[in-house]
Amino acid sequence: MLNNIIRNKQPITAKRLAHELQVSVRNIYRYIDDLSVSGIPIYGTPGIGYQLSDNFELPPLNLTEKELDALMLGVGMVTSWTGDELSIAAKSLAVKIESTLPSKLKNSYSRVIFAPDIKPNPIDKVQSRRHWESLHSSIKSQAVIQIDYQSLSEIKTKRCVKPLGLFYWGAKWTLAAWCKKRDDYRSFRVDRISCIEVTGGSFELTEKINLNAYVSFAKRSS
């Protein structure tokens, strides 16, 4: 990501880079050293900043304006509506996309499609992002979790589940999971989960318990 920011905004000072990445200037110096060792031709000029050598080029992306609209809209959605780690990754992707565009497209492109974060309550927003991150991590690591859940009829329960996937429905995220209590598939609205606890146990995907089987179950139930 660092070399893409330098390429896109060169010359750029260590202080400006630190502000862009929200890290210390000392970390920037270390990152620059690591990139230099890896063969990226970065050089610094006192009082001016860092630049890439003129003969160093990243391959341009051969995109149409509509393809670029689609990419940037997707990046905006991920940034606004997922967890912090994927949001950071999406911002990094946006920098990479911008830095590798052909000059003609970069100079003429005007972004007109956006995916703003319109959640009204900042506390709910922070909690939702934290829960989303925990669920995403648990799905990836196949970790059994216990959730405190409040249904739409305001009934509170504790569920021990095997998380399988996250689905976005335009306004709400739902967790697809195998519920041990029901011994069956269940969906849980992420915004109605008040607490998530990683139990320390893990699970294996089987012919019976996997995401594709959940999707088939959901189609039959709809």
Side-chain angles (χ1 to χ4, degrees):
M1 180 178 179
L2 181 62
N3 60 301
N4 285 294
I5 293 177
I6 293 173
R7 184 179 189 274
N8 196 42
K9 300 184 178 182
Q10 61 185 334
I12 183 170
T13 64
K15 184 177 180 180
R16 174 79 182 281
L17 284 168
H19 176 74
E20 290 273 348
L21 295 175
Q22 298 183 346
V23 299
S24 68
V25 172
R26 180 177 296 179
N27 280 337
I28 292 298
Y29 292 147
R30 188 171 72 249
Y31 296 158
I32 293 292
D33 287 340
D34 290 343
L35 286 174
S36 297
V37 169
S38 68
I40 304 297
I42 296 176
Y43 67 93
T45 304
I48 296 178
Y50 291 104
Q51 301 181 72
L52 290 166
S53 295
D54 292 338
N55 60 352
F56 178 73
E57 288 292 336
L58 294 174
L61 291 176
N62 187 24
L63 300 176
T64 66
E65 284 202 24
K66 288 184 178 180
E67 289 171 337
L68 186 54
D69 274 338
L71 267 176
M72 298 309 292
L73 178 61
V75 166
M77 289 178 172
V78 172
T79 300
S80 297
W81 302 333
T82 64
D84 290 337
E85 289 188 4
L86 271 188
S87 176
I88 292 171
K91 292 175 183 176
S92 173
L93 176 60
V95 172
K96 290 181 179 180
I97 292 170
E98 185 179 354
S99 67
T100 56
L101 289 175
S103 298
K104 182 178 179 181
L105 181 55
K106 183 187 295 186
N107 294 334
S108 65
Y109 179 70
S110 177
R111 188 178 178 192
V112 295
I113 305 174
F114 299 90
D117 189 343
I118 57 175
K119 294 174 185 173
N121 189 327
I123 295 177
D124 290 345
K125 173 184 173 183
V126 170
Q127 178 170 286
S128 294
R129 291 183 76 90
R130 186 183 300 121
H131 284 351
W132 196 98
E133 199 71 61
S134 296
L135 294 171
H136 181 248
S137 176
S138 297
I139 291 166
K140 288 290 189 179
S141 60
Q142 295 178 204
V144 177
I145 59 175
Q146 180 171 281
I147 61 174
D148 291 352
Y149 189 72
Q150 184 169 317
S151 69
L152 292 175
S153 55
E154 307 304 325
I155 298 174
K156 296 181 179 180
T157 59
K158 285 185 179 290
R159 303 290 186 96
C160 190
V161 304
K162 300 176 180 180
L164 299 171
L166 286 161
F167 292 80
Y168 186 64
W169 301 98
K172 303 294 182 183
W173 283 95
T174 60
L175 169 70
W178 179 268
C179 177
K180 289 190 171 184
K181 181 177 181 179
R182 302 301 184 193
D183 194 33
D184 207 345
Y185 291 111
R186 287 294 183 271
S187 293
F188 303 94
R189 268 181 42 175
V190 174
D191 64 312
R192 302 192 71 83
I193 297 174
S194 60
C195 182
I196 301 171
E197 179 185 348
V198 179
T199 65
S202 61
F203 66 95
E204 296 292 331
L205 298 176
T206 65
E207 186 175 343
K208 180 180 180 181
I209 302 175
N210 62 75
L211 190 56
N212 287 335
Y214 165 83
V215 171
S216 297
F217 164 83
K219 287 181 178 179
R220 292 195 304 271
S221 302
S222 60

